Structures are given as C-alpha cells and as structure tokens.
Amino acid sequence: MSEETPRDVAEPVADPEFGPWLAQASILVVDDEPGIRNFLVKLLRPRCRLIEESADARDASRKLDGQHFDVVILDNVMPGKSGLDWLAEQRAIGFFTDVILMTAYADLDTAIGALRIGVIDFVIKPFRSNQLLNAVARCLDRARLQRENFVLRHELKSSSQQLYLRNKLLGASAAIQKARETIARVAPLPTPVLFTGESGTGKEVAARSLHSLSNRADKLFVPVNCGAIPSEMIESELFGHVRGAFTGAGKTREGLFMFAQGGTLFLDEIGELPYHLQSKLLRVLEDRRVRPVGSEREVPIDARYVFATNADLQKRVAAGTFRADLYFRINVMQIDLPSLRERDQDVLELADIFMREISNQLGMPRVPIDAGMRTFLLQYDWPGNIRELRNLIERTVILGEFREDYLKSRAERSTSDVTLADVERRHILFVLRESRGDREEAARRLGISRKTIDRKCASWQL
C-alpha cells in the first residue's frame, strides 16, 4: 500500500453496470498531471480493491516490481519519456498486465504503435467517467476470458482430465468422510496442501473441492499435470516467457502461475517435476514471485498452492531425484486419499452415479447392476481405483452388458492378492448394506451372532 493510500479504506462496492470483476481489481494510474490522477483515484477507489498512482515512469516501474496490477491506466505524453516508450521497455523485460492508454492525440501512427506493444484499449482526453470505467471493465473481462479459455484448453490436453464428479468427493465411508473433514478444516487457510494416494483415487477432485470451499472459490482453479508436459516446455508453461526468449517465442505469454493469480494452482504429479525446475519452484513458493523465461523482472504472485503425488516422495528424496528442501516446503499439510478398496460400499454409490451420467452423456440405455454384479464390485480389489471403475462402467454402457470374460480375468487377478480377512470384511459389509444397516438381520443372513458383527465393526472403526 502506498503512503498516499489511507489504511482505513471502505470495502469496494460492486457495480453491476461495470461487471463483477471491478470490485476485485488492482489498478495503477500513471500520469504526470496531478488533476487527472486525483480524478481517477477518486473515481476508482470506491469501486476497486486497490488503486495506486505514479507521476512518472520511474515510480511506476518501482510499483510494478512490488505489486501485481490487473490494469495499468497510462498517459502517453509525459516529460522525459512517453508512455508508449516506457511500455515498450517494460514489455521487453517482462510486463504482462493489460494497459489502457490515455491520449489527447488520437492519430493513426500512435494507435498502430500502441497496438503493436500490447495496449488493449484507448480513452481520448477529455473523457467521461463512464468511458473510463467501461474500458477498465472490458480489460478485466478480456483477461478473465483469456485465462479461462487457456486453462480449459490446457485441461483438455491432459490425459488425466475427468469430466465427471470434478468438484465432489462422494461416498459415505469413514475413510472418505475423514478426508472431507480435513479438507473442510484446511480450505480457508493459506497453507499449502499435499494430496497423496494411489493413482485414480481422486486427488484432483479433492483439490477442486478444497478450492471450492476456500475464499478463492470465485477465482480460477488452474490444474497442471507435471508429468504430462514435455520437459523442454514445462518451464515456459509454468512461468511464461517474453518475446524472443527462445526459438519460436514469437510473442510474450503469461504462464500458468500468473493465470492462477488470486486463485488456486494445483500441481499434480509433483514428483515428476524435472530436478532442475524444483529449485525454481521452491523459490517461487518462498518469494511468491515468478520470473518468466527471458525476463529481467519477477512478477509478484498471489495464489494458493496445492500438490498431489502417487509417488513416495521420501524415497525419491533419499534417492536424490527430489529435493529435500522442496519436499519439506510442500509437505506442510498432507492429506492421504483412501484407495477404493478401503472405502467399503462407496464403490456401489459411485458405480450408480457413473452409470447414470455416462449413459446420459452417450445417449445410451443404462445397464442394470444386479446383485451378483454388486457382489463383484465389492469384492474386487480395484488396483486402478475410481478411474478403473469409471472405465468399466463406460465399457459396459457401450457394450450393453457386463462382459463375463473381462470380469473373470479381473477377478482372478484381484483375488490372488486378497486375504481371507479382506473377503470376510467385504462380504459382511455387503450383507449389512443389503440389510439396510440392521445388524440383527445381517447376523441372521450370515449365520453368525450379533456380537460377532458388533466386534468386527468396532475393529473396522465403523
């Protein structure tokens, strides 16, 4: 906060006329005329989260180094250096923010030069309040849409992207309830979170759930699969780059860290991050700044960081393939997601949901899940977890039946690693479900005493 800005400032009031993002925006006004600066500050301060002002290019550069701004409102004619000359210098060293140019001389050459160096909008002096506010709103909408579109395209390229249950961690088992409770407890905090667990247990779903429960829920959730991006591209994808930073870098581009500004950045498969980038990630986490490839400037970043891995990071630290300092930095709050075989009867609930949603999406009839099939679902070991279950249901909807040869091969593979205690537990829980939780009835069907069921359930913490 600048010295000129009072500390006790009223919260900005959202103005529907100028879109939903203005009240959350941070704006820098650069103009050598005190009257113009005062007018713009008085106009924007009640409507924006943060408004700063600079009387010259040097002070503006200093403020850009210390604070992220969503929009810069720039005067072109200033003593010593024009606004466009200053902007060209800033773009060359790593400046990504949208710029609105104020000018009293709207000639064609100025307009062409401004567009070439990335001016987004113009206001011609003298201008009315609504003209300026509409220009700011357009910039904010444009930036938001660009980032959302980029993130969506990035997600669609990811092989792990799931279209179903993206924000819902479903199930009634004690294991998943414990995970949900921990997520709800940590969601409002800025603490980094590391999700661990086998592949296919829903780590991205859990991360999205955490984001939706946080105070950043109205900002972007940016998922990045560190194992899916080629090693030669991942630094530019994460941190962005300036024009000419490497062969093929024809224009300046923001990275995924910057797209997560104000929101949540989810780094999946963090154990696959190349070793040479691990030190750079550590620096970002500690300094909360990103240096784009080829840039001389570090960009301040305000984001929540969430990580996930199915690897044993401690073993990788011991093997020298994962930095110990990065491991301890990201492992502040670890949440282990249970495998599907540990979630008791959640498999039946998930199977029903997948059957309904996949059949609706494909426009094909649902396949009934009879008692025999439900017994198989409960007894199968599910090495591929939720992802494997979803694939089974999709294959079944397409074929119109549960294929017995496929199920037999899966069952034979599964039972080779299943203990007698596992089979007993699953069968008792299945009968309990069929008996709607009535332990007396379940004991009768199983041919055992009620006390036996009570003792078993107590040992399973149910």
Side-chain angles (χ1 to χ4, degrees):
M1 182 177 290
S2 68
E3 294 180 0
E4 299 88 347
T5 304
R7 293 184 179 275
D8 188 16
V9 178
E11 288 293 319
V13 178
D15 191 336
E17 183 180 354
F18 303 107
W21 314 120
L22 187 58
Q24 304 172 20
S26 55
I27 298 176
L28 174 63
V29 175
V30 186
D31 196 309
D32 62 310
E33 296 183 34
I36 293 292
R37 294 201 310 274
N38 291 338
F39 167 72
L40 292 177
V41 168
K42 288 179 180 178
L43 175 67
L44 293 168
R45 178 166 287 155
R47 296 175 169 86
C48 302
R49 178 178 60 83
L50 175 69
I51 178 73
E52 295 275 8
E53 55 180 302
S54 292
D56 55 59
R58 178 178 296 180
D59 185 61
S61 299
R62 179 179 63 81
K63 288 184 175 174
L64 289 179
D65 289 336
Q67 167 71 43
H68 165 76
F69 293 98
D70 298 303
V71 177
V72 171
I73 302 173
L74 175 66
D75 184 35
N76 189 32
V77 180
M78 294 190 294
K81 183 179 294 183
S82 74
L84 290 182
D85 289 341
W86 172 79
L87 178 57
E89 292 176 0
Q90 298 304 306
R91 292 295 194 210
I93 63 172
F95 173 56
F96 300 85
T97 299
D98 284 350
V99 174
I100 298 171
L101 187 70
M102 298 184 294
T103 179
Y105 308 99
D107 60 278
L108 184 60
D109 290 340
T110 299
I112 293 174
L115 291 172
R116 284 177 175 169
I117 58 175
V119 168
I120 300 302
D121 212 334
F122 298 83
V123 288
I124 308 300
K125 295 180 178 179
F127 52 82
R128 296 189 301 273
S129 300
N130 279 11
Q131 288 178 293
L132 189 283
L133 291 171
N134 278 320
V136 172
R138 284 195 298 270
C139 280
L140 295 171
D141 286 343
R142 171 187 174 276
R144 176 83 179 191
L145 287 171
Q146 278 193 328
R147 291 178 176 184
E148 286 179 347
N149 287 339
F150 185 90
V151 170
L152 287 172
R153 289 197 302 271
H154 183 82
E155 289 183 6
L156 289 172
K157 293 177 183 178
S158 172
S159 60
S160 66
Q161 174 64 18
Q162 297 294 320
L163 298 178
Y164 299 102
L165 313 180
R166 291 163 46 115
N167 302 302
K168 299 177 182 178
L169 208 57
L170 299 176
S173 65
I176 205 65
Q177 285 179 358
K178 181 179 179 181
R180 275 201 300 264
E181 289 169 2
T182 307
I183 289 171
R185 186 176 182 85
V186 77
L189 308 175
T191 308
V193 175
L194 173 64
F195 286 104
T196 57
E198 297 177 8
S199 178
T201 51
K203 293 185 284 293
E204 181 173 334
V205 174
R208 288 182 182 275
S209 178
L210 184 144
H211 173 71
S212 68
L213 294 171
S214 74
N215 57 5
R216 298 173 181 264
D218 60 336
K219 301 294 180 64
L220 281 181
F221 174 88
V222 181
V224 182
N225 187 331
C226 298
I229 305 175
S231 57
E232 66 274 11
M233 295 175 56
I234 191 168
E235 183 175 5
S236 173
E237 286 287 313
L238 291 178
F239 305 143
H241 63 259
V242 298
R243 181 179 178 181
F246 51 85
T247 303
K251 61 180 181 179
T252 296
R253 199 185 76 180
E254 293 179 296
L256 291 166
F257 271 84
M258 296 180 220
F259 283 10
Q261 190 78 253
T264 300
L265 182 70
F266 172 56
L267 294 176
D268 197 4
E269 306 264 8
I270 187 64
E272 306 305 318
L273 188 69
Y275 193 85
H276 72 280
L277 284 182
Q278 293 177 20
S279 60
K280 295 185 178 182
L281 174 59
L282 178 64
R283 184 174 178 183
V284 171
L285 298 178
E286 292 180 341
D287 298 344
R288 306 192 74 83
R289 290 171 172 270
V290 166
R291 184 185 293 275
V293 179
S295 172
E296 298 177 22
R297 166 180 284 130
E298 291 184 335
V299 181
I301 296 294
D302 171 29
R304 171 76 174 275
Y305 298 103
V306 182
F307 309 90
T309 182
N310 57 17
D312 188 331
L313 293 184
Q314 285 185 305
K315 287 184 178 179
R316 295 201 176 190
V317 168
T321 58
F322 198 85
R323 292 180 62 102
D325 47 5
L326 178 59
Y327 171 69
F328 292 119
R329 184 67 180 80
I330 67 176
N331 192 27
V332 178
M333 186 67 202
Q334 181 175 331
I335 301 176
D336 189 59
L337 294 181
S339 62
L340 190 54
R341 61 184 169 275
E342 298 173 307
R343 293 178 56 177
D344 302 328
Q345 299 173 43
D346 287 354
V347 62
L348 301 180
E349 178 183 350
L350 291 170
D352 288 335
I353 293 171
F354 284 141
M355 182 65 73
R356 180 175 64 253
E357 297 207 3
I358 292 174
S359 65
N360 288 342
Q361 187 208 26
L362 299 181
M364 302 180 74
R366 302 177 195 177
V367 177
I369 306 178
D370 59 23
M373 188 62 215
R374 289 179 178 274
T375 300
F376 168 80
L377 295 177
L378 286 168
Q379 294 180 350
Y380 181 53
D381 200 45
W382 299 110
N385 292 294
I386 299 172
R387 187 179 295 118
E388 183 180 6
L389 172 63
R390 184 189 181 281
N391 290 345
L392 170 63
I393 298 301
E394 183 170 1
R395 182 183 300 106
T396 299
V397 171
I398 293 171
L399 296 176
E401 63 176 347
F402 287 97
R403 292 287 295 272
E404 291 186 8
D405 54 344
Y406 174 84
L407 298 178
K408 183 178 179 181
S409 66
R410 285 289 185 271
E412 290 173 350
R413 188 182 310 172
S414 176
T415 53
S416 63
D417 298 322
V418 177
T419 66
L420 182 61
D422 291 332
V423 175
E424 179 189 56
R425 181 176 186 270
R426 292 175 189 175
H427 185 57
I428 290 175
L429 292 176
F430 172 72
V431 174
L432 268 172
R433 181 182 176 88
E434 293 297 304
S435 304
R436 301 182 182 275
D438 186 335
R439 294 187 180 186
E440 289 286 355
E441 173 62 18
R444 186 189 65 78
R445 295 186 186 186
L446 290 165
I448 59 179
S449 70
R450 163 67 185 268
K451 288 184 178 180
T452 300
I453 290 186
D454 290 341
R455 188 176 66 253
K456 295 286 185 183
C457 289
S459 69
W460 301 328
Q461 297 183 338
L462 297 177

